[in-house]
């Protein structure tokens, strides 16, 4: 057996388990842990201990053993989870994590537990011995105490348990009994939809199903979590019967449609559920490369068949193209992971940093099931971490200041992810003090970045924050404000072909929005022709195509489209294609990026196709207006238009033109009459 | 689990004792099936059952339904607190022809 490979698996598994351990403990801070959670908590450490033993990592085994002892007492109810204990366990998690890191790098495994961990071990051991409190069925942290009966909801639940549930060691009735501890069950109907006659009945197969109403103040996740161990093969449907009422006192938040969706829909599957196969990343990359080649080869075959006028062949090739498209989507999909993978680190960070700063901060996460490319996930963690730390440190004001400005003392940070026309958007918003424009300008002038703040838009001012060495924090804290970082954040995001947007209102908060391309490798494109050259526009960004009335283009650079002004630019102008004859009809391709729209004027529309993005060579990296190249079926090269950049150019031109127009009419006014 | 066949006043009764759960499911089914094949009337006494789980419940329901299909009579003659508890929880009184307080 290749031991080093097995060790890699151990390390990876241990880290995943530690993450789970942390998630569970943090959950305990806002909601009570049920017996399943406590069981899971115990198992994570138990599993690490077991595998560490196989490799002879004695220090890990010994340390985990102590932690496990305490967890066993928590599970049996002889010990209850106090905030102090929870903090201690979190520190122990870090301890195990350090030992695991050590196991990765050092040649000879540690036998003795190092001093820092030994101290924790002692602290834990003392907890285990002293607090022999009388058995409590479940510990209830203070935070859940005020979950009063008023917010009890009614749920209609239908469950048909899978055939193998009993064999899996789960007793459905016991599951429901547990559920009944979360609230009140009424209208219980026990169903045996497929119960065979006694002589055909397999005693270990599960045939049971239930249909009932649950009245409970527990969250959907908690209710759904009851079925975690019995999910396989089971049909579970949980529907809210309580109409969603917006509390009259609270102003309705406008960008938060999810409570309704969450309650009305049957349970959405949590990310990370189900079975997984671990595949080496390089294998997947090879596969995707091959799929890329397949796309190109397929396009070539298509061109040949069209040229030959062979109908049967065209038909066969179109079937192949459809399949290639599916293979492509499938292959790319394999690289997609839910953004929750990044988000799950944040509860701990926010908690620790908030503690350190002495602030009371609540973290809300939504859209964690939004998927994005795995390679992007790795590169996004640090920038996001930085932004969140910034929000914690500079964004949210100290409690006293919040109070005096009439805000709740508890600050709020929200992490959100969603998809938007071919991009993934990650948002970090806080309800803190916002960015103070005057301060930023003052600092920028001081640093010699700008002459004065006059004539700068808010967006331009905020972007000064990304200049190297910029920091407006009055006190340099341990966490951020050392003036390194935001420029690195920007560089990292731009390396992923992404963008950062800042929105801020003084006194109300700041939102940082990262917009990233959905995939890195293969896209659906829209092929257009200008003069002799062909260009690809990412199809996700194309809204529609309209005909351009040629006469207009000489005088102005915008048209009216259904009552709205649409600025446009001529692709001929961008790339200086002026020698080719101008066709009598030209077209505007309307594209969208973020919330901006613009038109691109082209000669011919050639239709949709799949393209493999090939990065541009070094020589062209600085070229404006193109983001990559693609090989067409005919073997020709087409350039991929950089829509985000072009949209910006078009919008800027439009603005300048309007200003210009204003000036002109002013001067005319002054001179003429 | 223990299964005893008792002849009580003009009635033959299968009395179950102790824990009746998935570990005894095969044994329980075989015993009930043998009884069903041999008799036309079966009484089931659950008074001294200390624990019942899903597997036990579904076997009991299957016995009653199968007997009815074959024109025979199977019924639960007595329940103790453990059995009553789970039957009440699942709301199976009607299915099992029982009236529980």
């Amino acid at each position: 057996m290749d031991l080093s490979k097995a060790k890699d698996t151990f390390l990876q598994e241990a880290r995943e388990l530690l993450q789970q351990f942390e998630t569970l403990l943090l959950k305990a801070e806002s909601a009570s842990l049920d017996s399943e959670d406590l069981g899971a908590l115990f198992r994570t450490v138990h599993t690490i201990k077991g595998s560490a033993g196989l490799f002879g990592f004695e220090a890990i085994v010994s340390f985990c053993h102590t932690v496990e002892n305490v967890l066993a007492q928590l599970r049996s109810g002889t010990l209850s989870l106090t905030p102090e204990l929870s903090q201690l366990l979190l520190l122990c998690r870090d301890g195990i994590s350090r030992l695991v890191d050590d196991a990765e790098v050092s040649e000879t495994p540690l036998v003795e537990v190092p001093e820092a961990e030994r101290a924790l071990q002692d602290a834990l051991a003392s907890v285990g011995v002293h607090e022999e409190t009388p058995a409590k069925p479940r510990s209830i942290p203070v935070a859940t105490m005020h979950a009063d009966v008023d917010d009890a909801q009614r749920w209609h639940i239908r469950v048909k348990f899978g055939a193998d549930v009993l064999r899996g060691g789960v007793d459905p009735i016991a599951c429901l009994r547990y559920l009944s501890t979360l609230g009140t069950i009424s209208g219980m109907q026990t169903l045996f939809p497929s119960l065979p006659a006694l002589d055909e009945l397999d005693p270990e197969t599960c045939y049971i199903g239930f249909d009932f109403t649950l009245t409970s103040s527990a969250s959907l996740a908690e209710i759904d979590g009851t079925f975690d161990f019995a999910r396989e093969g089971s049909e579970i449907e949980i529907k809210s019967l309580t109409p969603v009422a917006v509390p009259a006192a609270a102003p309705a938040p406008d960008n938060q449609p999810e409570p309704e969706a969450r309650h009305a829909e049957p349970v959405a599957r949590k990310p990370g559920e189900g079975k997984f196969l671990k595949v080496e990343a390089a294998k997947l990359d090879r596969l995707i490369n091959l799929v890329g080649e397949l796309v190109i080869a397929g396009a070539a075959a298509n061109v040949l068949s069209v040229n030959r006028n062979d109908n049967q062949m065209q038909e066969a090739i179109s079937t192949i193209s459809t399949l290639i498209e599916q293979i492509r989507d499938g292959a790319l999909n394999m690289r997609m992971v839910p953004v929750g993978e990044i988000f799950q680190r944040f509860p701990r960070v926010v908690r620790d940093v908030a503690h350190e700063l002495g602030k009371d901060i609540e973290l809300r996460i939504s859209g964690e099931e939004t998927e994005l490319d795995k390679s992007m996930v790795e590169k996004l963690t640090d920038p996001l971490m930085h932004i969140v730390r910034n929000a914690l440190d500079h964004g949210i004001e100290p409690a006293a200041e919040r109070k005096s400005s009439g805000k709740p003392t508890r600050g709020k940070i929200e992490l959100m992810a969603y998809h938007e026309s071919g991009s993934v958007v990650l948002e970090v918003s806080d309800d803190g003090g916002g960015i103070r424009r005057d301060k930023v300008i003052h600092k920028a002038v001081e640093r010699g970045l700008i002459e004065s703040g006059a004539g700068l838009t808010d967006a331009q001012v905020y972007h000064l924050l990304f200049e190297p060495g910029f920091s407006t924090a009055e006190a340099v804290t341990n966490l951020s404000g050392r003036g390194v970082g935001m420029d690195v954040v920007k560089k990292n995001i731009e390396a992923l072909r992404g963008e950062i947007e800042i929105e801020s209102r003084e006194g109300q908060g700041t939102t940082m929005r990262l917009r990233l391309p959905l995939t890195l490798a293969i896209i659906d494109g829209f092929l257009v022709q200008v003069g002799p050259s062909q260009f690809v526009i990412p199809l996700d960004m194309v809204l529609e195509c309209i005909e351009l009335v040629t006469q207009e283009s000489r005088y102005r650079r915008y048209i009216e489209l259904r009552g709205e002004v649409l600025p446009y630019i001529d692709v001929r102008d961008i790339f200086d294609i002026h020698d080719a004859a101008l066709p009598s009809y030209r077209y505007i391709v309307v594209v969208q990026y973020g919330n901006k729209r613009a038109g691109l004027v082209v000669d011919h529309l050639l239709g949709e196709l799949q393209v493999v993005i090939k990065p541009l060579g070094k020589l062209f990296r600085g070229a404006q207006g193109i983001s990559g190249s693609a090989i067409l079926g005919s073997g020709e090269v087409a350039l991929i238009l950089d829509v985000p950049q072009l949209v910006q150019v078009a919008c800027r031109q439009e603005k300048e033109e309007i200003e210009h127009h204003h000036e002109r009419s002013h001067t005319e006014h002054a001179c003429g009459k | 689990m223990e299964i005893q066949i008792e002849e009580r006043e003009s009635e033959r009764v299968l009395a179950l004792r102790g824990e009746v759960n998935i570990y005894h499911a095969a044994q329980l089914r075989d015993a009930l099936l043998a009884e069903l094949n041999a008799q036309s009337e079966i009484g089931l006494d659950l008074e001294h059952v200390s624990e019942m789980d899903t597997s036990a419940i579904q076997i009991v329901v299957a016995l009653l339904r199968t007997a009815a299909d074959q024109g025979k009579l199977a019924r639960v003659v007595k329940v103790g607190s453990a059995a009553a508890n789970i039957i009440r929880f699942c709301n199976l009184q009607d299915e099992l022809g029982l009236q529980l307080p």
Side-chain angles (χ1 to χ4, degrees):
Chain A
M1 187 176 76
D2 186 350
L3 212 63
S4 73
K5 239 184 194 168
K7 186 174 146 187
D8 281 347
T9 313
F10 161 71
L11 293 168
Q12 194 184 349
E13 194 184 72
R15 291 192 179 115
E16 279 166 18
L17 288 166
L18 286 172
Q19 181 62 52
Q20 251 181 51
F21 183 77
E22 181 179 299
T23 310
L24 283 165
L25 274 177
L26 292 177
K27 180 180 163 194
E29 297 195 343
S30 55
S32 61
L33 291 186
D34 53 43
S35 57
E36 275 173 20
D37 290 335
L38 289 171
L41 205 55
F42 175 81
R43 273 194 306 280
T44 53
V45 178
H46 185 73
T47 310
I48 296 175
K49 183 179 103 169
S51 334
L54 290 178
F55 292 92
F57 297 138
E58 293 303 329
I60 300 183
V61 173
S62 151
F63 190 60
C64 285
H65 183 74
T66 321
V67 180
E68 192 189 276
N69 272 343
V70 171
L71 294 175
Q73 291 181 47
L74 280 175
R75 190 172 61 163
S76 65
T78 50
L79 199 65
S80 62
L81 190 59
T82 59
E84 292 77 31
L85 180 56
S86 163
Q87 172 70 20
L88 189 56
L89 285 171
L90 277 174
L91 292 175
C92 290
R93 186 217 85 100
D94 299 344
I96 301 176
S97 172
R98 277 195 298 273
L99 292 175
V100 170
D101 289 347
D102 180 80
E104 179 170 20
V105 289
S106 63
E107 293 290 315
T108 47
L110 283 173
V111 179
E112 290 289 309
V113 179
E115 201 155 319
E117 281 73 30
R118 182 164 287 281
L120 287 170
Q121 220 171 350
D122 292 344
L124 265 189
S126 68
V127 168
V129 177
H130 291 304
E131 261 190 62
E132 295 274 10
T133 44
K136 265 191 199 171
R138 295 193 295 143
S139 66
I140 302 164
V142 197
T144 54
M145 287 304 215
H146 48 75
D148 46 11
V149 200
D150 286 346
D151 38 81
Q153 286 222 15
R154 289 176 64 227
W155 305 90
H156 181 210
I157 304 180
R158 290 169 65 98
V159 200
K160 166 76 182 77
F161 283 94
D164 288 329
V165 164
L166 292 177
R167 278 184 211 101
V170 174
D171 182 8
I173 295 179
C175 258
L176 290 203
R177 285 231 193 236
Y178 168 70
L179 193 61
S180 70
T181 63
L182 296 179
T184 327
I185 286 180
S186 56
M188 170 67 86
Q189 273 181 291
T190 302
L191 309 164
F192 301 94
S194 53
L195 189 70
L198 194 59
D199 51 338
E200 281 159 22
L201 178 134
D202 175 353
E204 286 173 8
T205 294
C206 182
Y207 302 97
I208 210 162
F210 301 92
D211 187 325
F212 57 93
T213 305
L214 173 75
T215 310
S216 165
S217 53
S219 70
L220 177 55
E222 264 178 276
I223 296 171
D224 186 43
T226 313
F227 301 107
D228 272 352
F229 288 121
R231 219 168 271 286
E232 206 160 309
S234 301
E235 293 158 30
I236 302 163
E237 198 183 296
I238 306 176
K239 276 187 187 157
S240 172
L241 296 175
T242 312
V244 184
V246 179
D254 37 20
N255 53 355
Q256 248 191 319
E258 95 272 55
E260 199 171 344
R262 200 198 288 163
H263 291 151
E265 294 291 303
V267 183
R269 298 235 144 201
K270 284 179 250 160
E273 214 166 19
K275 296 211 161 164
F276 291 105
L277 195 62
K278 276 185 186 145
V279 179
E280 207 182 308
K283 277 189 191 167
L284 203 53
D285 288 344
R286 273 202 296 281
L287 175 67
I288 286 175
N289 267 339
L290 284 176
V291 172
E293 296 301 323
L294 189 61
V295 168
I296 296 173
N302 190 29
V303 169
L304 273 183
S305 74
V306 170
N307 288 348
R308 280 201 193 177
N309 250 338
D310 183 339
N311 280 344
Q312 273 175 316
M313 187 153 168
Q314 277 182 37
E315 214 164 284
I317 286 184
S318 103
T319 314
I320 294 175
S321 301
T322 318
L323 291 172
I324 292 179
E325 210 167 296
Q326 285 170 10
I327 293 176
R328 176 203 68 175
D329 287 347
L332 285 179
N333 229 326
M334 276 192 251
R335 291 171 59 107
M336 301 295 261
V337 291
V339 72
E341 233 176 70
I342 316 181
F343 282 3
Q344 65 185 357
R345 308 176 190 207
F346 285 96
R348 176 78 189 274
V349 172
V350 171
R351 174 189 173 280
D352 286 358
V353 173
H355 263 263
E356 199 174 317
L357 295 169
K359 292 178 181 175
D360 183 15
I361 295 170
E362 177 193 352
L363 175 71
R364 283 203 199 158
I365 291 180
S366 58
E368 59 262 68
E369 69 289 340
T370 312
E371 292 190 323
L372 77 178
D373 200 283
K374 172 82 180 161
S375 56
M376 231 184 273
V377 165
E378 287 152 11
K379 291 175 190 146
L380 271 175
T381 313
D382 288 345
L384 261 187
M385 189 70 80
H386 201 90
I387 295 175
V388 170
R389 278 170 178 266
N390 248 319
L392 287 165
D393 199 5
H394 308 317
I396 306 277
E397 321 88 320
E401 199 177 307
R402 290 181 67 89
K403 214 171 193 175
S404 67
S405 52
K407 289 193 211 175
T409 47
R410 172 167 242 209
K412 204 169 72 190
I413 288 194
E414 201 163 349
L415 274 176
M416 217 193 306
Y418 51 92
H419 286 230
E420 188 186 89
S421 64
S423 317
V424 186
V425 182
L426 302 179
E427 268 185 34
V428 180
S429 37
D430 62 64
D431 68 343
I435 299 171
R436 292 192 41 197
R437 189 191 151 97
D438 52 332
K439 255 192 184 172
V440 175
I441 291 174
H442 180 78
K443 196 78 162 199
V445 172
E446 202 180 284
R447 300 262 153 128
L449 295 171
I450 49 168
E451 297 277 307
S452 77
L456 291 180
T457 63
D458 282 352
Q460 281 166 330
V461 172
Y462 299 153
H463 268 97
L464 291 171
L465 294 175
F466 297 118
E467 293 297 325
F470 195 97
S471 165
T472 59
E474 278 155 353
V476 172
T477 65
N478 188 15
L479 298 158
S480 45
R482 280 167 299 185
V484 285
M486 283 313 264
D487 57 321
V488 179
V489 168
K490 191 183 176 202
K491 239 180 247 159
N492 283 344
I493 300 300
E494 278 174 353
L496 295 169
R497 297 197 285 126
E499 245 199 8
I500 309 185
E501 248 172 61
I502 306 181
E503 242 172 57
S504 175
R505 269 197 227 153
E506 222 172 296
Q508 292 180 30
T510 308
T511 300
M512 296 252 177
R513 197 169 291 128
L514 310 184
R515 198 183 299 276
L516 298 146
L518 202 51
T519 61
L520 296 168
I522 310 178
I523 58 166
D524 278 316
F526 187 65
L527 192 64
V528 298
Q529 190 172 356
V530 181
S533 313
Q534 297 185 355
F535 296 96
V536 175
I537 305 173
L539 191 63
D540 288 332
M541 298 175 177
V542 175
L543 289 179
E544 60 183 314
C545 299
I546 48 179
E547 209 169 280
L548 172 74
V549 184
T550 325
Q551 295 96 302
E552 285 189 6
S553 68
R554 222 174 296 156
Y555 300 104
R556 48 187 180 128
R557 294 260 170 219
Y558 54 90
I559 54 159
E560 191 192 306
L561 179 64
R562 286 187 290 274
E564 276 184 54
V565 172
L566 180 80
Y568 63 78
I569 37 179
D570 194 330
V571 177
R572 277 178 181 252
D573 290 344
I574 309 171
F575 301 109
D576 240 344
I577 309 170
H578 286 299
D579 38 0
L582 213 59
S584 43
Y585 290 109
R586 303 186 70 209
Y587 301 90
I588 299 182
V589 181
V590 183
V591 291
Q592 173 163 20
Y593 183 67
N595 49 11
K596 290 191 187 118
R597 286 181 190 188
L600 302 173
V601 179
V602 301
D603 292 356
H604 301 287
L605 305 176
L606 301 178
E608 297 174 20
L609 83 169
Q610 307 179 56
V611 291
V612 182
I613 301 181
K614 301 271 178 192
L616 290 168
K618 269 187 191 155
L619 263 181
F620 297 101
R621 201 149 288 166
Q624 299 277 305
I626 34 180
S627 61
S629 62
I631 300 170
L632 301 176
S634 57
E636 285 174 80
V637 171
L639 295 173
I640 300 171
L641 293 180
D642 185 352
V643 173
Q645 199 186 19
L646 294 178
V647 168
Q648 262 177 9
V649 170
C651 292
R652 200 167 55 222
Q653 269 183 8
E654 181 207 2
K655 227 181 130 193
E656 277 165 11
E657 207 149 306
I658 291 171
E659 277 163 12
H660 199 67
H661 187 74
H662 264 280
E663 268 168 40
R664 223 176 21 223
S665 58
H666 265 290
T667 10
E668 276 165 17
H669 217 74
C671 303
K673 288 155 202 180
Chain B
M1 181 187 73
E2 272 176 56
I3 303 179
Q4 277 181 340
I5 298 175
E6 297 170 6
E7 297 283 349
R8 299 178 190 166
E9 318 136 12
S10 76
E11 194 180 37
R12 196 178 140 95
V13 169
L14 249 78
L16 308 185
R17 277 171 191 279
E19 290 176 5
V20 188
N21 56 33
I22 183 77
Y23 301 110
H24 318 106
Q27 187 196 350
L28 177 65
R29 187 203 75 133
D30 292 346
L32 293 183
L33 188 59
E35 188 72 3
L36 181 70
N37 289 337
Q39 310 289 329
S40 61
E41 268 185 45
I42 302 167
L44 202 54
D45 181 348
L46 304 178
E47 188 177 3
H48 298 289
V49 168
S50 62
E51 187 202 311
M52 273 180 99
D53 71 353
T54 305
S55 65
I57 285 286
Q58 59 187 26
I59 290 171
V60 172
V61 171
L63 168 72
L64 266 67
R65 287 191 183 178
T66 311
D69 286 347
Q70 296 178 358
K72 296 181 175 179
L73 178 70
R75 61 195 188 96
V76 179
V77 295
K78 251 184 184 172
V79 290
S81 64
N85 202 326
I86 195 167
I87 291 167
R88 227 183 272 122
F89 181 80
C90 295
N91 207 5
L92 284 172
Q93 296 93 314
D94 287 350
E95 174 85 42
L96 299 180
L98 291 168
Q99 285 193 332
L100 300 173

